[in-house]
Amino acid sequence: MDSKLLKKLYDTYHKELYLYIYSLCRNREVTEDLVQETFLKAILLLPQSHTNMRAWLYMVARNLYLNFVKKEKPKVDIDKLR
C-alpha cells in the first residue's frame, strides 16, 4: 500500500475507529492495540483499489474485537462448579 494513502486513511479514520472499538470494549489499552492491528492489516492486505476503505477498516476492527473476545472469554473450571 502506498504510504501516502495509508497516512490519509490513518488521519481520516483513526479517531473514529478508536471511538468505535472503545465503545465495544471500554478498555483503552485493548482499544489501542486493536486500532493498531487494524491499520497493520490495512498495510498488509487492503488493496488500493478497494471501493469502500472505511467499511473495510470497520469490518476488520469488528472482527479483531470479536476474535479478542473469544480468546479472552473466561474458561469455566468444571471442578469449581461441583
PDB file of all heavy atoms in Angstrom, residues 10 13 27 29 33 38-39 50 53 58 66 71 75:
ATOM      1  N   TYR A  10      -5.163   6.784   7.873  1.00  0.00           N
ATOM      2  CA  TYR A  10      -4.931   6.894   9.312  1.00  0.00           C
ATOM      3  C   TYR A  10      -5.444   8.235   9.836  1.00  0.00           C
ATOM      4  O   TYR A  10      -6.169   8.279  10.829  1.00  0.00           O
ATOM      5  CB  TYR A  10      -3.444   6.733   9.618  1.00  0.00           C
ATOM      6  CG  TYR A  10      -3.142   6.710  11.086  1.00  0.00           C
ATOM      7  CD1 TYR A  10      -3.218   5.531  11.815  1.00  0.00           C
ATOM      8  CD2 TYR A  10      -2.804   7.884  11.764  1.00  0.00           C
ATOM      9  CE1 TYR A  10      -2.964   5.506  13.167  1.00  0.00           C
ATOM     10  CE2 TYR A  10      -2.542   7.867  13.118  1.00  0.00           C
ATOM     11  CZ  TYR A  10      -2.624   6.681  13.814  1.00  0.00           C
ATOM     12  OH  TYR A  10      -2.373   6.663  15.156  1.00  0.00           O
ATOM     13  N   TYR A  13      -9.440   8.172   9.606  1.00  0.00           N
ATOM     14  CA  TYR A  13     -10.268   7.196  10.314  1.00  0.00           C
ATOM     15  C   TYR A  13      -9.761   6.771  11.684  1.00  0.00           C
ATOM     16  O   TYR A  13     -10.480   6.072  12.405  1.00  0.00           O
ATOM     17  CB  TYR A  13     -10.462   5.952   9.450  1.00  0.00           C
ATOM     18  CG  TYR A  13     -11.166   6.260   8.159  1.00  0.00           C
ATOM     19  CD1 TYR A  13     -10.540   6.052   6.943  1.00  0.00           C
ATOM     20  CD2 TYR A  13     -12.447   6.791   8.151  1.00  0.00           C
ATOM     21  CE1 TYR A  13     -11.176   6.344   5.748  1.00  0.00           C
ATOM     22  CE2 TYR A  13     -13.094   7.088   6.966  1.00  0.00           C
ATOM     23  CZ  TYR A  13     -12.448   6.866   5.777  1.00  0.00           C
ATOM     24  OH  TYR A  13     -13.082   7.171   4.601  1.00  0.00           O
ATOM     25  N   ASN A  27     -12.031  -0.406  27.148  1.00  0.00           N
ATOM     26  CA  ASN A  27     -10.690  -0.598  27.686  1.00  0.00           C
ATOM     27  C   ASN A  27      -9.702   0.104  26.763  1.00  0.00           C
ATOM     28  O   ASN A  27      -9.579  -0.261  25.592  1.00  0.00           O
ATOM     29  CB  ASN A  27     -10.385  -2.092  27.791  1.00  0.00           C
ATOM     30  CG  ASN A  27      -9.027  -2.367  28.370  1.00  0.00           C
ATOM     31  OD1 ASN A  27      -8.009  -1.868  27.898  1.00  0.00           O
ATOM     32  ND2 ASN A  27      -9.005  -3.195  29.401  1.00  0.00           N
ATOM     33  N   GLU A  29      -6.345   0.261  26.655  1.00  0.00           N
ATOM     34  CA  GLU A  29      -5.200  -0.497  26.165  1.00  0.00           C
ATOM     35  C   GLU A  29      -5.617  -1.464  25.050  1.00  0.00           C
ATOM     36  O   GLU A  29      -4.938  -1.566  24.029  1.00  0.00           O
ATOM     37  CB  GLU A  29      -4.522  -1.269  27.300  1.00  0.00           C
ATOM     38  CG  GLU A  29      -3.822  -0.392  28.312  1.00  0.00           C
ATOM     39  CD  GLU A  29      -4.758   0.205  29.363  1.00  0.00           C
ATOM     40  OE1 GLU A  29      -5.900  -0.284  29.527  1.00  0.00           O
ATOM     41  OE2 GLU A  29      -4.346   1.184  30.007  1.00  0.00           O
ATOM     42  N   ASP A  33      -4.506  -1.328  21.026  1.00  0.00           N
ATOM     43  CA  ASP A  33      -3.943  -2.500  20.349  1.00  0.00           C
ATOM     44  C   ASP A  33      -4.755  -2.883  19.114  1.00  0.00           C
ATOM     45  O   ASP A  33      -4.199  -3.179  18.057  1.00  0.00           O
ATOM     46  CB  ASP A  33      -3.871  -3.702  21.293  1.00  0.00           C
ATOM     47  CG  ASP A  33      -2.801  -3.553  22.363  1.00  0.00           C
ATOM     48  OD1 ASP A  33      -1.927  -2.663  22.228  1.00  0.00           O
ATOM     49  OD2 ASP A  33      -2.847  -4.327  23.341  1.00  0.00           O
ATOM     50  N   THR A  38      -5.614  -3.092  13.305  1.00  0.00           N
ATOM     51  CA  THR A  38      -6.460  -2.803  12.144  1.00  0.00           C
ATOM     52  C   THR A  38      -5.646  -2.122  11.047  1.00  0.00           C
ATOM     53  O   THR A  38      -5.717  -2.513   9.873  1.00  0.00           O
ATOM     54  CB  THR A  38      -7.655  -1.917  12.551  1.00  0.00           C
ATOM     55  OG1 THR A  38      -8.437  -2.611  13.524  1.00  0.00           O
ATOM     56  CG2 THR A  38      -8.514  -1.587  11.345  1.00  0.00           C
ATOM     57  N   PHE A  39      -4.861  -1.122  11.420  1.00  0.00           N
ATOM     58  CA  PHE A  39      -4.056  -0.426  10.418  1.00  0.00           C
ATOM     59  C   PHE A  39      -2.901  -1.291   9.910  1.00  0.00           C
ATOM     60  O   PHE A  39      -2.506  -1.172   8.749  1.00  0.00           O
ATOM     61  CB  PHE A  39      -3.580   0.925  10.941  1.00  0.00           C
ATOM     62  CG  PHE A  39      -4.667   1.956  10.891  1.00  0.00           C
ATOM     63  CD1 PHE A  39      -5.379   2.295  12.033  1.00  0.00           C
ATOM     64  CD2 PHE A  39      -5.021   2.568   9.703  1.00  0.00           C
ATOM     65  CE1 PHE A  39      -6.396   3.229  11.984  1.00  0.00           C
ATOM     66  CE2 PHE A  39      -6.039   3.502   9.629  1.00  0.00           C
ATOM     67  CZ  PHE A  39      -6.730   3.833  10.780  1.00  0.00           C
ATOM     68  N   HIS A  50      -9.697  -0.768  -3.490  1.00  0.00           N
ATOM     69  CA  HIS A  50     -10.918  -1.135  -2.757  1.00  0.00           C
ATOM     70  C   HIS A  50     -11.895   0.037  -2.821  1.00  0.00           C
ATOM     71  O   HIS A  50     -11.515   1.187  -2.627  1.00  0.00           O
ATOM     72  CB  HIS A  50     -10.587  -1.481  -1.313  1.00  0.00           C
ATOM     73  CG  HIS A  50     -11.673  -2.241  -0.636  1.00  0.00           C
ATOM     74  ND1 HIS A  50     -12.810  -1.629  -0.173  1.00  0.00           N
ATOM     75  CD2 HIS A  50     -11.796  -3.549  -0.365  1.00  0.00           C
ATOM     76  CE1 HIS A  50     -13.594  -2.541   0.373  1.00  0.00           C
ATOM     77  NE2 HIS A  50     -12.994  -3.718   0.260  1.00  0.00           N
ATOM     78  N   MET A  53     -12.995   1.831   1.553  1.00  0.00           N
ATOM     79  CA  MET A  53     -11.943   1.539   2.525  1.00  0.00           C
ATOM     80  C   MET A  53     -12.425   1.723   3.954  1.00  0.00           C
ATOM     81  O   MET A  53     -12.019   0.990   4.842  1.00  0.00           O
ATOM     82  CB  MET A  53     -10.724   2.402   2.250  1.00  0.00           C
ATOM     83  CG  MET A  53     -10.059   2.047   0.946  1.00  0.00           C
ATOM     84  SD  MET A  53      -8.567   2.981   0.734  1.00  0.00           S
ATOM     85  CE  MET A  53      -8.053   2.400  -0.869  1.00  0.00           C
ATOM     86  N   TYR A  58     -13.669  -0.802   9.243  1.00  0.00           N
ATOM     87  CA  TYR A  58     -14.622  -1.110  10.314  1.00  0.00           C
ATOM     88  C   TYR A  58     -14.857  -2.612  10.419  1.00  0.00           C
ATOM     89  O   TYR A  58     -14.965  -3.157  11.527  1.00  0.00           O
ATOM     90  CB  TYR A  58     -15.953  -0.387  10.084  1.00  0.00           C
ATOM     91  CG  TYR A  58     -16.001   0.972  10.723  1.00  0.00           C
ATOM     92  CD1 TYR A  58     -15.442   2.075  10.086  1.00  0.00           C
ATOM     93  CD2 TYR A  58     -16.583   1.163  11.964  1.00  0.00           C
ATOM     94  CE1 TYR A  58     -15.480   3.323  10.671  1.00  0.00           C
ATOM     95  CE2 TYR A  58     -16.626   2.415  12.564  1.00  0.00           C
ATOM     96  CZ  TYR A  58     -16.072   3.482  11.906  1.00  0.00           C
ATOM     97  OH  TYR A  58     -16.107   4.717  12.499  1.00  0.00           O
ATOM     98  N   LEU A  66     -14.019  -9.149  17.945  1.00  0.00           N
ATOM     99  CA  LEU A  66     -14.715 -10.414  18.217  1.00  0.00           C
ATOM    100  C   LEU A  66     -13.719 -11.546  18.472  1.00  0.00           C
ATOM    101  O   LEU A  66     -13.947 -12.382  19.357  1.00  0.00           O
ATOM    102  CB  LEU A  66     -15.650 -10.763  17.062  1.00  0.00           C
ATOM    103  CG  LEU A  66     -16.845  -9.828  16.886  1.00  0.00           C
ATOM    104  CD1 LEU A  66     -17.622 -10.185  15.618  1.00  0.00           C
ATOM    105  CD2 LEU A  66     -17.746  -9.836  18.103  1.00  0.00           C
ATOM    106  N   LYS A  71     -11.021 -15.121  22.452  1.00  0.00           N
ATOM    107  CA  LYS A  71      -9.770 -15.570  23.055  1.00  0.00           C
ATOM    108  C   LYS A  71      -9.732 -15.272  24.555  1.00  0.00           C
ATOM    109  O   LYS A  71      -9.203 -16.057  25.330  1.00  0.00           O
ATOM    110  CB  LYS A  71      -8.592 -14.892  22.364  1.00  0.00           C
ATOM    111  CG  LYS A  71      -7.278 -15.481  22.735  1.00  0.00           C
ATOM    112  CD  LYS A  71      -6.074 -14.925  22.017  1.00  0.00           C
ATOM    113  CE  LYS A  71      -6.277 -13.764  21.108  1.00  0.00           C
ATOM    114  NZ  LYS A  71      -5.032 -13.202  20.585  1.00  0.00           N
ATOM    115  N   LYS A  75     -12.468 -19.107  30.934  1.00  0.00           N
ATOM    116  CA  LYS A  75     -12.683 -20.558  30.879  1.00  0.00           C
ATOM    117  C   LYS A  75     -13.383 -20.977  32.165  1.00  0.00           C
ATOM    118  O   LYS A  75     -12.997 -20.575  33.252  1.00  0.00           O
ATOM    119  CB  LYS A  75     -11.358 -21.297  30.758  1.00  0.00           C
ATOM    120  CG  LYS A  75     -10.438 -20.781  29.668  1.00  0.00           C
ATOM    121  CD  LYS A  75     -10.902 -21.225  28.310  1.00  0.00           C
ATOM    122  CE  LYS A  75      -9.910 -20.933  27.236  1.00  0.00           C
ATOM    123  NZ  LYS A  75      -9.731 -19.596  26.797  1.00  0.00           N
TER     124      LYS A  75
END
